Structure formats: C-alpha cells, structure tokens
Amino acid sequence: MGARGMIALSRQFFLAFAVVGSVTPLITVFLKAEAGFSFLQIGLSMTLINLPMLISPGLITLLADRQVDSRKILRTSFAICTAVFLGMYFTQDTALILTLFVFYGLAFVAMLPLQDGYYFSLAEDLKNAGKEPLVYPTVRVWGTIGFIVPSLILYYPLKEGASLNSIMLCAVGFALLSLVNTFTLPRISPRPELNGALPSRKALEALWGQANVRWLCIALMIAYLASSAYYGFIANYMVDVIGVAEGLVGPIMCIGVAIEIAFTIWMPKLQARIGLRGILIAGLACMSLRMGLLAVCPNIWTALLTQACHGLEVLALFVVPVMFINRLAGKEFRNSIQGMFIMTVSGSSRVVAGALAGLVVSRFGLQSFLVYGTVLAFIAMMIVVLRFDRIPKQEEAAP
C-alpha cells in the first residue's frame, strides 16, 4: 500500500485539478462570449457554483468519517461532473447553464477537501505500518501540474479558432480519467467513531471554539473574498482591458502555476525557515501587491510579471490552511474538519464573493475588482499579523 498508494493519490490530485484547469481559466470569458452573460450574471453564476459549499463538503466528509468509502463518493462526484460538462457543451440556454452550475458545484466542491482528508488518513495508516509517507506538499504539487496541462492542450485549438466550448470537452476527458483512477486508490483503515457526537460537531468546535483559530478563519474568509473576485474576472480583464488573445489567457496563467510548482516543492524548506504563519503572511502580501499593480498598470507586462506572486499566494490560500486545520483534527473527524472548513470559511465567502464582485464590476467597471481585492487582501494580512498565532502540531501541543 505504501509507495503505490501515494503514487495513485498523486495521480488523483493531478487528474482532479486538471478538471479544474480545463474550466477555470476561461469560464468567465466563455459565459460572456458564448452564452451572452453580463458581468452581473457572471458573478451570480460564480455564486451558484459555490452555493453547494454550504452543504455538500460537510455532508460528504461526514459520510467519509462515518465509514462510507471515500473512493465511492469520488466516483459518484466525477460521474456527475462528466454529465454536467457534457450538458454545458451542448446547450446555450441561460437557465439550463445556471442550473448545471449548481450541480457542478454540488459534485465538485466536496472532492478537494475529501481528497485532502483521504491523504492525511492514508499518511497516518502508513506511519502506523512503520512506513514514511510523502509529505502533503509533495502530493499536492501534482494537482498544480495537473492544472497546467489543459491550458497547454487547448492553446493550439483556440489559437486556430476553435470554439470556447471546447474547454468543456477537455473537462469531460479529465473527469472520466479521474473516475477511473479512483479504482487504483487503496482502501484506508476504518476511523474510530465518536460516542454520541457527530464528527462535524467536533470539527466545528475545533474551528470556532478557540479565539486564535477564529481569527485565522476570519482572515481567510476575507482573503477568499479577494481571491474569488480576482479569479472570477481576471480572464475578462486580460481580454477586454489589456487586449490579450483568448487563447493566451490560459498559458499566461500557467506561468504563475509553474512558479507555484517550484514554491510547493520548496515549501518544506520554506516552512522550516519562516513557518506556516510566515508563508501565510507572505502569500497574502503577494496577493494584495499583485492586484494593486494590475489595477495601477493595466498592460501585458504587468500581467506577466505579477505571475511571480502566484506561488506564495496559492500556498497561503490552499495549502497552508489545509495543514493548519489538520493539526486541529482528531482521528475520528479528520475528513469532517476539512469539509466544515470549506463550508464555514471558504465556502461561505465564495458564495457571497461571486455576486458581490459582479455587482462591483457592473457598477464601477471591470478594473474596480482589482482595487476591491487589493484592500481586502491587505486587511486579511493585517489580521494574521496582529491577531493570529501559529497552531502547533499535535505532538507539540501534547503535555
């Protein structure tokens, strides 16, 4: 189970993030160009994608902690995603597209925390068996690599004039491969169950019962508001304001993702030097700087150079929180705490973020979301600097 299990899980991260990478870079351009959405409708569609975050992650990770096989849950989710992307490919009806976004969110938003919880459970099994698991960033980096691949695949067809809805066919292919790969994942040992208490309740107590962790959650909620505004409209900004060709949006974003790979590989050494809290502060500072520069200097060189900020930003938003939150988890709610974090922190922010950013852009213009995001990211950074202390590892916290 050791090396083969971690290789299979790394492959799962690669394929799952390739699904995201097929759609994310150009989804808002697709909605504007192919479906005729306004900026406010684009913001609302982003809200619909994230709306299931208020229910789905907690429910699905609860099932995983209640001994339902995580691999079966993943298979169901990827099957639904495949059907959703096929539906989006064949329709231009606004109401149907919005409905499909809800089902996409319902299926997909729980998969990433479930994969994170699966990693930490598998790593614990390997340690109990006397084997040394791969560290989380080493497995997570394959997700980053997977995110890049669809943009490379789609670059030439889009350059030659292919329709933007080809991104949906790319997503279908990777969703099917993800489904197949779940059959190669090893079964993890059963988790101990709580006597008389739901795992999700214990997870909520761990997240919101301590002032220090509450400040972390509040800072991240504000940071996700900024992040959602950026990723929701940056493709439109590049195309409509800077004048980037549609086919180049993905490759430009991939420059940042390639830098992210280097930072993810380097993360264990970086963590040894400045700690997870230091990475979090640096990443939030990079996010504020990136959006501020793009707001002040809207040109192709700024779009290219600010990709250097992407690596630390992603570590701060999507890697460091997962590792911090796992330090709060007991064996019996290791999956649930990741799900409840998605529901109460990143999910609740993103539900509000899409509509709020869409409203800002529709009222003040496309460039306004960058000013809005710059301020939010700076506030989040200052909360971490002034109010949040590090969360020690469980062995450090033990008497």
Side-chain angles (χ1 to χ4, degrees):
M1 179 181 73
R4 283 192 309 229
M6 281 292 173
I7 290 171
L9 183 56
S10 298
R11 192 166 56 238
Q12 189 66 40
F13 270 79
F14 174 91
L15 294 170
F17 276 84
V19 177
V20 182
S22 300
V23 177
T24 299
L26 285 170
I27 185 62
T28 56
V29 178
F30 165 80
L31 291 174
K32 187 170 183 288
E34 300 288 328
F37 278 32
S38 68
F39 288 127
L40 182 56
Q41 287 175 317
I42 290 172
L44 290 173
S45 67
M46 295 302 102
T47 288
L48 288 174
I49 288 178
N50 293 309
L51 190 61
M53 282 189 172
L54 300 180
I55 302 172
S56 179
L59 176 61
I60 290 179
T61 51
L62 171 62
L63 291 175
D65 279 328
R66 286 298 197 188
Q67 316 305 340
V68 177
D69 193 335
S70 298
R71 299 169 299 176
K72 293 180 180 178
I73 301 174
L74 288 171
R75 286 166 204 158
T76 303
S77 297
F78 283 116
I80 294 172
C81 282
T82 301
V84 165
F85 291 133
L86 283 173
M88 287 188 183
Y89 178 77
F90 285 110
T91 186
Q92 289 186 326
D93 181 77
T94 300
L96 181 56
I97 289 174
L98 291 174
T99 303
L100 289 170
F101 267 120
V102 175
F103 281 97
Y104 167 60
L106 188 65
F108 200 82
V109 295
M111 285 192 278
L112 301 185
L114 186 60
Q115 286 181 176
D116 290 333
Y118 181 94
Y119 161 80
F120 289 113
S121 295
L122 178 60
E124 187 177 20
D125 283 352
L126 292 176
K127 288 179 181 178
N128 291 338
K131 301 174 183 177
E132 191 62 30
L134 296 175
V135 296
Y136 177 73
T138 303
V139 175
R140 173 60 170 73
V141 74
W142 285 101
T144 304
I145 297 170
F147 186 91
I148 293 177
V149 171
S151 291
L152 301 179
I153 293 172
L154 291 165
Y155 169 71
Y156 186 76
L158 291 175
K159 183 174 179 290
E160 294 300 308
S163 171
L164 278 172
N165 66 2
S166 57
I167 66 177
M168 298 304 170
L169 289 182
C170 189
V172 166
F174 281 110
L176 287 173
L177 289 173
S178 300
L179 189 156
V180 171
N181 190 70
T182 61
F183 289 93
T184 69
L185 297 175
R187 186 178 183 87
I188 56 176
S189 61
R191 305 292 101 186
E193 293 194 15
L194 291 168
N195 294 323
L198 285 173
S200 51
R201 179 179 173 183
K202 294 295 293 183
L204 278 174
E205 290 174 356
L207 282 174
W208 294 97
Q210 306 172 47
N212 185 45
V213 183
R214 275 200 303 275
W215 281 115
L216 172 65
C217 292
I218 291 168
L220 288 171
M221 289 175 78
I222 296 171
Y224 288 129
L225 285 175
S227 173
S228 295
Y230 177 84
Y231 290 108
F233 289 99
I234 190 59
N236 299 94
Y237 181 79
M238 286 187 185
V239 172
D240 295 346
V241 176
I242 298 178
V244 175
E246 292 173 350
L248 286 174
V249 172
I252 288 174
M253 290 186 176
C254 284
I255 295 172
V257 180
I259 293 171
E260 177 192 337
I261 293 172
F263 270 98
T264 308
I265 293 172
W266 185 40
M267 185 178 173
K269 293 183 179 178
L270 187 62
Q271 181 182 348
R273 291 185 179 182
I274 63 174
L276 291 181
R277 181 176 177 272
I279 296 173
L280 180 59
I281 293 170
L284 294 174
C286 282
M287 181 164 65
S288 184
L289 176 65
R290 179 190 206 179
M291 288 190 279
L293 289 173
L294 282 167
V296 174
C297 305
N299 59 63
I300 184 63
W301 293 109
T302 309
L304 289 169
L305 292 173
T306 53
Q307 294 300 316
C309 296
H310 183 80
L312 276 171
E313 179 184 331
V314 169
L315 293 186
L317 294 179
F318 304 110
V319 180
V320 168
V322 171
M323 297 175 72
F324 265 144
I325 297 309
N326 185 64
R327 292 182 178 183
L328 302 168
K331 294 180 181 179
E332 65 278 6
F333 59 95
R334 194 168 300 284
N335 290 290
S336 290
I337 198 167
Q338 298 294 342
M340 296 310 294
F341 175 79
I342 294 290
M343 283 178 61
T344 62
V345 180
S346 64
S348 58
S349 285
R350 289 172 185 173
V351 167
V352 176
L356 189 57
L359 185 62
V360 168
V361 170
S362 63
R363 182 163 184 180
F364 300 105
L366 193 52
Q367 208 162 338
S368 62
F369 78 93
L370 291 168
V371 178
Y372 159 81
T374 300
V375 174
L376 288 176
F378 181 78
I379 292 171
M381 181 193 71
M382 292 308 299
I383 290 175
V384 175
V385 170
L386 298 174
R387 304 299 299 176
F388 171 65
D389 196 9
R390 65 185 289 269
I391 300 172
K393 294 180 181 178
Q394 290 177 350
E395 56 266 27
E396 295 172 348

